[in-house]
Amino acid sequence: MKKRFLSALLGLSLVATLLVGCGGSGQTTSGTNAEPAASAQSEAATDASQTDAAQTDTGLQGTLKVAAFNGGYGSEIWDAVTAKFMENNPGVTIELTCEKNLEEVISPLMKAGDYPDFVYLALGRELALPETLLKDNAIMDITDVLSMQVPGEGVTVGEKIIPGFTDTLVTNPNGDGKTYLAPMFYSPCGLWYDANLLETKGWEVPQTWEEMWALGDKAKAEGISLFTYPVAGYFDAFMFGLLTQAGGAEFYNRAMSYEDGIWETEEATKVFEIVGKLATYMEPTTVGNANSDNFKKNQQLVLDDKAIFMPNGNWIIGEMADAPRAEGFKWGFCPLPAIEKGGDRCAFTFFEQAWIPAGAQNPELAKAFMAYLYSDEAAEIFATAGASPAIMPIEGVSKYISDEETKMIYSIYDTGAIASMGGFQSTQAVEGVSMKETLFFTIDSIVTGDKTVEEWQKAVEEVSDQLRAAIVK
């Protein structure tokens, strides 16, 4: 089933030695325990490093405490990228710890006043550490990092990051234009299909929704449905992308903030109408199998060429790796069709975050390190050094991906698609009220005809009204 964006937690064992490697066991190792031969090699490397330092002195000095989650990408990416940063900046020593239970490691240290300088830790974890720190104003404003130059590249961090990634309620949680969380590794969501089917039939990937309806009519004439979905919850990324297309990032954020009347606007109405029309092109068995037990049957419809498109994330390739498929099947992936010709085409993305604690002892060095992470050099390390590619949200990052299917996914923003991202603003629980159930899972009832689009739209606005009063201050 779908993984809701993994997000890492970080911890810091404040070691008093040089670089602390982060092994998969979660135990830190110190350079002081090295064997004599290794020590000799280390001294030689230090001498060479000092020689290089005279030639490439960047002016950066000091000890940087980096905390990075040891998750699905493996610890190697952080070992490699911190080592490279120290190589580039001989005056810098990095103390690094990677742990799988990093909340448990970092929290008591922070309470005692021992803060990491840089933290790779995304929102959405059970212990909600960054969420808590944000509420306590304990995460630093890093807006100025966006105007810093990426080391050695002549562009700023803001120019390097794919448009849209720093315009969300995730990176700018206070809605005041200030950035507190830096976007890190991301995973696009879009529409998946059998590229071989379209090639064989001579059909083009629709660029607009009008073209989508025309394709649906052609497919229906040949006994093929236009669309299916695993479960209605998978319409989250789909609806978020449509909202961004309809009104832009600013409109989307207003919807995510439960603005009064936002779901009754012309832009929102267009979104509801598109989904309502899409429901008429749905593969007939979809709703019956749209549950946790049978969702793969809906995914199988695409592999069997019984339905053309479905919304999903990149986990679908591995999830259905052993499933049977039509002869010549080849995964295709595309953003949503534009609402009008020449309009934006969006692909929603889940992404992780990094940040600097307000209590960091070396925040300026932490910002320099953060800027470095958006360099081509660092992006290549992240994409190639770990257990699986960790992809940074920068322009042209797909060039570092060797696997063709993975490259297809991450090149989506290199060919004109706009990134849509971010979710609803946090609220207190309201008994009996769920935006997820109302906005997404009502789609089952739209497909079956049990509810009208107008009833659905009205219900969403009512839920928005109730949640607006419960926004966490």
Side-chain angles (χ1 to χ4, degrees):
M1 205 52 175
K2 174 164 60 171
K3 297 176 184 175
R4 287 281 176 195
F5 217 57
L6 40 110
S7 278
L9 260 242
L10 319 153
L12 184 64
S13 294
L14 300 178
V15 296
T17 56
L18 294 179
L19 174 65
V20 178
C22 56
S25 66
Q27 297 178 340
T28 57
T29 57
S30 169
T32 59
N33 295 327
E35 295 296 326
S39 298
Q41 292 173 355
S42 177
E43 290 172 5
T46 300
D47 292 340
S49 176
Q50 291 172 346
T51 300
D52 291 341
Q55 301 171 353
T56 62
D57 186 9
T58 62
L60 294 176
Q61 301 285 331
T63 298
L64 179 69
K65 300 171 182 177
V66 173
F69 175 66
N70 182 7
Y73 303 123
S75 61
E76 295 83 2
I77 58 174
W78 292 102
D79 288 326
V81 81
T82 52
K84 192 64 177 178
F85 186 78
M86 287 192 293
E87 179 185 328
N88 296 344
N89 303 279
V92 175
T93 296
I94 293 180
E95 294 177 354
L96 169 67
T97 297
C98 296
E99 299 284 358
K100 296 183 183 298
N101 62 333
L102 291 172
E103 297 99 326
E104 298 173 15
V105 175
I106 196 173
S107 293
L109 293 173
M110 293 175 67
K111 289 178 181 178
D114 287 337
Y115 288 86
D117 298 305
F118 172 91
V119 180
Y120 156 58
L121 164 63
L123 303 171
R125 297 280 292 184
E126 184 178 355
L127 296 182
L129 180 57
E131 289 91 334
T132 300
L133 294 175
L134 283 169
K135 292 174 187 175
D136 293 339
N137 296 316
I139 289 182
M140 187 171 294
D141 176 2
I142 56 170
T143 307
D144 57 338
V145 174
L146 299 178
S147 60
M148 292 176 63
Q149 184 171 326
V150 177
E153 296 188 10
V155 296
T156 66
V157 172
E159 291 169 337
K160 192 72 178 291
I161 295 174
I162 295 169
F165 272 84
T166 55
D167 299 321
T168 76
L169 288 171
V170 174
T171 56
N172 303 4
N174 296 334
D176 56 3
K178 296 180 179 180
T179 301
Y180 291 86
L181 302 179
M184 292 287 287
F185 315 130
Y186 75 103
S187 176
C189 295
L191 299 181
W192 294 81
Y193 61 96
D194 178 6
N196 180 66
L197 172 65
L198 269 60
E199 292 168 6
T200 301
K201 296 290 186 182
W203 297 338
E204 299 289 336
V205 174
Q207 302 297 302
T208 66
W209 282 104
E210 287 303 317
E211 292 180 10
M212 178 69 90
W213 311 140
L215 175 59
D217 293 336
K218 290 180 184 178
K220 185 177 181 180
E222 298 198 25
I224 302 172
S225 297
L226 179 65
F227 212 83
T228 188
Y229 55 89
V231 298
Y234 276 56
F235 271 97
D236 53 1
F238 182 96
M239 292 291 289
F240 292 160
L242 266 184
L243 287 165
T244 305
Q245 289 184 174
E250 188 268 341
F251 171 81
Y252 174 74
N253 286 335
R254 287 162 56 200
M256 297 299 101
S257 301
Y258 309 105
E259 181 179 302
D260 190 17
I262 194 70
W263 296 99
E264 299 171 327
T265 60
E266 180 180 348
E267 295 89 343
T269 298
K270 187 64 177 178
V271 170
F272 285 110
E273 289 175 345
I274 287 173
V275 179
K277 187 165 184 176
L278 185 61
T280 67
Y281 286 92
M282 203 68 61
E283 208 284 333
T285 64
T286 294
V287 174
N289 291 317
N291 53 66
S292 59
D293 293 325
N294 297 312
F295 72 97
K296 286 188 178 181
K297 292 182 179 179
N298 288 336
Q299 295 177 170
Q300 187 66 44
L301 292 170
V302 174
L303 277 72
D304 292 338
D305 288 345
K306 293 180 180 179
I308 300 179
F309 294 106
M310 71 171 166
N312 222 308
N314 61 359
W315 52 83
I316 184 65
I317 294 176
E319 193 168 63
M320 302 299 286
D322 298 326
R325 58 202 63 208
E327 183 177 355
F329 181 91
K330 181 172 67 174
W331 282 114
F333 180 68
C334 67
L336 300 180
I339 291 177
E340 56 188 25
K341 189 173 182 179
D344 288 338
R345 301 187 67 197
C346 288
F348 188 85
T349 187
F350 296 105
F351 66 94
E352 302 179 66
Q353 305 90 37
W355 40 276
I356 299 172
Q361 295 300 302
N362 207 339
E364 295 309 311
L365 185 54
K367 290 179 179 180
F369 178 68
M370 183 175 282
Y372 169 71
L373 298 184
Y374 295 94
S375 68
D376 285 350
E377 182 176 82
E380 184 174 8
I381 290 171
F382 285 137
T384 60
S388 62
I391 307 302
M392 288 293 286
I394 62 173
E395 301 279 5
V397 71
S398 61
K399 64 188 175 185
Y400 301 120
I401 303 171
S402 57
D403 177 75
E404 288 304 314
E405 288 182 336
T406 305
K407 183 184 288 288
M408 169 191 67
I409 298 165
Y410 285 97
S411 64
I412 194 168
Y413 300 119
D414 298 339
T415 54
I418 301 299
S420 172
M421 65 203 77
F424 283 101
Q425 193 164 352
S426 297
T427 69
Q428 301 290 343
V430 179
E431 187 175 358
V433 176
S434 170
M435 180 59 81
K436 178 179 178 180
E437 290 292 330
T438 306
L439 182 57
F440 307 134
F441 281 91
T442 302
I443 291 173
D444 285 342
S445 297
I446 300 299
V447 175
T448 61
D450 292 336
K451 286 191 177 180
T452 67
V453 170
E454 292 76 15
E455 291 171 335
W456 178 31
Q457 183 175 9
K458 181 180 178 181
V460 172
E461 176 63 26
E462 290 173 351
V463 167
S464 182
D465 290 341
Q466 292 173 284
L467 293 175
R468 183 170 58 255
I471 290 175
V472 175
K473 303 297 185 181

